[in-house]
Amino acid sequence: MLKQRIIPSLLLKDGRMVKGKNFGNFRDVGDPVTAAKVYNAQKVDELMFLDICPTAQSREQVREIIQAAACECFMPLTVGGGVRMVEDVRHLLTIGADKVAMNSAAVRTPELIRDAAELFGDQCVVVSVDYRLNQAGRRTVWIDSATLDTGLDPLEHVKRCVALGAGEILLTSIDQEGTLEGYDFDYLDEVARAVKVPVIASGGAGRLEDFYRALTTTKVSAVSAASIFHFTDQSPIKARFFLSNSGVNVRV
Amino acid sequence: MIAIVDYGMGNQHSVLNALRYLGVEAAVTADPDKVCRADRVILPGVGAFGAAMENLNRSGLRAAMNEAVLQRGRPFLGICLGMQLVAARGTEKGLFEGLGWIDGEVRLMAPTDPEIKLPHVGWNDIVIERNLPLFQGLKKERAFYFVHSYASCPQDPAHVAASCEYGGSFVAVVYRDNIFATQFHPEKSQKNGLTILENFAEWEGGPC
């Protein structure tokens, strides 16, 4: 039976690993290659590298980070941040990424999803969707590192991306992100039930019980997390044992 | 020297990284002559069946692989799309002729439960159906990393070396003589995957 996945995410800024809250107040949390090696030693299921502030210079730094990680980490690597064109996707796949995450481009140039899926297969196209609740109580998709409200409904956006060829959806609640207060469980479940492709929960995991709840009460296929591994004493190993002992089908 | 066939479809360098890590001599190449003369051949790949066959036919790599694998009997490892390509036919976005080394077809997976997601992405346990040298030394938990929507359906059950469960059983590894091909990605399956790659570097073809 397919195992449920725990995916540490590494947010990158100027070649360093950072972590913030609600997509702001970023703190330096170390060297990403060192972190990748530690996660590799902990035998995590996958790793996700997201450049949150893409520039010409950071593109080169990301290249170095992925190349270094890919020489030692024999697990799936997803890379995202600043992906605009098919050539960006090709570039990231060539340097060692297995999947490429698109976020703002999925809104601005959705045909990129189709083009990349046709050329490289839909299994390597991850669409990353960041959303937040507005004052009217409606969720909308935000892009450009959560600085621009597109007004789009996240579920409609996700459905459109899947129809174009997205092979996986990374769904992040900006309101929950970095709070350690738990995922936006009900909404994750609503989206995961509505699409055929796997949905990865993101934003808010603070306790191992959050992983358990997401993996047992919602239809998500995987949980991603960062703060819980940086700012608490939990590790992917502890998470796996906790989940396994609770009857969740994870790798041990 | 192991030739990792580069036909513009994917993650050749991940396979090279894993072999380098194991201290195994290998090179990524798009040169039919080098493939022809290689001691062993690895065909990795992600993407669509039809486009892959077109690239292999056009580049002369298909003929080179036929010579190395079928005529010279060089051990062959196919990975993911590279596994599907050894079949006679692919049915992804049209009907396409494959390498035809193992009779059968590649079909869209059809999980019995409509709620089951496709692509099949993640770690899943394989069940070994044939005792081959390539499986030696695997851990008790035989989890490997898969990412695919289509699966190979060999005509002859004797060509199934391992299976896997995802809304029904599907073929995880095919095998015939000096041909061994995995639907999962050994180069992305940590220790278990490295074990298979290490075994392949020593394998001369044939069963235990």
Side-chain angles (χ1 to χ4, degrees):
Chain A
M1 214 172 95
L2 184 65
K3 294 165 197 300
Q4 293 180 290
R5 292 170 283 158
I6 307 163
I7 309 174
S9 72
L10 292 80
L11 301 185
L12 310 176
K13 191 168 185 275
D14 305 324
R16 294 286 293 175
M17 185 168 62
V18 297
K19 194 67 202 57
K21 189 175 170 184
N22 311 124
F23 282 57
N25 300 318
F26 290 105
R27 285 199 257 166
D28 189 309
V29 287
D31 173 57
V33 178
T34 308
K37 287 180 186 171
V38 171
Y39 283 135
N40 185 50
Q42 296 175 332
K43 295 189 288 183
V44 301
D45 297 323
E46 284 186 49
L47 281 178
M48 220 149 38
F49 297 83
L50 302 169
D51 187 2
I52 55 163
C53 217
T55 61
Q57 196 197 354
S58 76
R59 190 183 153 90
E60 200 42 50
Q61 290 161 333
V62 169
R63 181 191 178 92
E64 283 165 20
I65 292 164
I66 302 307
Q67 279 177 330
C71 286
E72 288 186 44
C73 303
F74 302 110
M75 66 173 105
L77 308 175
T78 300
V79 187
V83 176
R84 302 260 179 276
M85 296 174 295
V86 159
E87 280 318 304
D88 299 331
V89 178
R90 190 192 306 275
H91 167 78
L92 291 173
L93 293 175
T94 313
I95 62 170
D98 298 285
K99 308 184 220 180
V100 172
M102 306 168 185
N103 184 314
S104 306
V107 171
R108 289 208 174 91
T109 51
E111 60 277 13
L112 177 64
I113 300 170
R114 187 194 56 220
D115 294 348
E118 271 175 15
L119 273 167
F120 312 113
D122 50 14
Q123 81 293 329
C124 73
V125 179
V126 179
V127 171
S128 154
V129 178
D130 302 328
Y131 68 90
R132 82 171 10 137
L133 207 58
N134 65 17
Q135 283 175 341
R138 208 167 68 81
R139 291 177 176 83
T140 58
V141 176
W142 287 63
I143 58 171
D144 294 343
S145 306
T147 58
L148 182 69
D149 184 1
T150 65
L152 292 171
D153 176 68
L155 180 55
E156 292 311 312
H157 177 55
V158 165
K159 283 183 181 166
R160 192 167 47 242
C161 293
V162 170
L164 283 165
E168 225 170 2
I169 301 294
L170 172 67
L171 190 58
T172 306
S173 160
I174 300 166
D175 299 314
Q176 298 303 109
E177 202 274 332
T179 63
L180 299 167
E181 286 169 2
Y183 294 108
D184 187 3
F185 297 99
D186 293 344
Y187 193 66
L188 284 167
D189 189 42
E190 189 182 333
V191 176
R193 279 178 191 280
V195 291
K196 184 86 181 158
V197 304
V199 172
I200 305 168
S202 168
R207 302 175 312 147
L208 299 182
E209 288 79 3
D210 295 329
F211 295 146
Y212 178 79
R213 190 173 158 196
L215 294 173
T216 56
T217 69
T218 83
K219 279 283 179 187
V220 302
S221 302
V223 286
S224 106
S227 296
I228 184 171
F229 300 135
H230 295 311
F231 302 134
T232 79
D233 62 355
Q234 299 303 351
S235 71
I237 294 179
K238 287 184 183 173
R240 275 207 305 277
F241 278 99
F242 172 81
L243 291 168
S244 172
N245 288 335
S246 312
V248 181
N249 182 22
V250 290
R251 280 167 78 220
V252 287
Chain B
M1 168 75 86
I2 297 181
I4 303 167
V5 182
D6 179 4
Y7 57 115
M9 300 293 286
N11 66 339
Q12 290 80 13
H13 282 91
S14 298
V15 179
L16 182 65
N17 282 338
L19 291 171
R20 274 194 186 144
Y21 179 84
L22 293 168
V24 173
E25 213 185 319
V28 172
T29 180
D31 179 353
D33 280 345
K34 287 197 176 131
V35 171
C36 212
R37 289 198 309 268
D39 300 321
R40 288 160 215 281
V41 177
I42 298 182
L43 184 66
V46 292
F49 193 102
M53 280 311 298
E54 194 190 312
N55 289 356
L56 289 173
N57 285 327
R58 198 184 44 220
S59 57
L61 287 165
R62 180 184 188 173
M65 286 195 299
N66 275 336
E67 185 170 338
V69 178
L70 299 184
Q71 283 156 41
R72 301 179 60 221
R74 295 303 179 204
F76 171 88
L77 171 64
I79 298 173
C80 195
L81 178 61
M83 176 253 206
Q84 299 181 354
L85 293 172
V86 305
R89 286 172 308 280
T91 60
E92 185 177 357
K93 293 167 188 154
L95 188 66
F96 299 95
E97 185 193 332
L99 293 170
W101 296 348
I102 291 182
D103 200 17
E105 211 166 73
V106 179
R107 296 187 205 125
L108 185 65
M109 295 174 84
T112 42
D113 177 354
E115 284 205 351
I116 285 182
K117 307 269 182 193
L118 275 186
H120 170 225
V121 184
W123 296 78
N124 205 335
D125 292 323
I126 64 165
V127 178
I128 293 172
E129 313 274 359
R130 283 199 69 165
N131 190 17
L132 295 174
L134 291 129
F135 295 130
Q136 271 168 19
L138 286 184
K139 288 196 308 178
K140 216 171 89 192
E141 188 193 41
R142 287 165 180 168
F144 289 86
Y145 186 79
F146 290 84
V147 50
H148 63 119
S149 300
Y150 284 77
S152 208
C153 311
Q155 199 81 39
D156 183 349
H159 293 149
V160 178
S163 60
C164 183
E165 196 65 27
Y166 189 61
S169 178
F170 73 92
V171 176
V173 181
V174 293
Y175 156 76
R176 192 195 115 193
D177 308 324
N178 54 326
I179 297 163
F180 179 88
T182 65
Q183 180 61 68
F184 55 78
H185 287 270
E187 79 285 9
K188 292 286 157 184
S189 296
Q190 294 174 350
K191 183 74 182 71
N192 275 345
L194 294 175
T195 299
I196 287 202
L197 290 174
E198 204 165 19
N199 289 340
F200 175 71
E202 304 282 315
W203 188 49
E204 295 300 336
C208 283

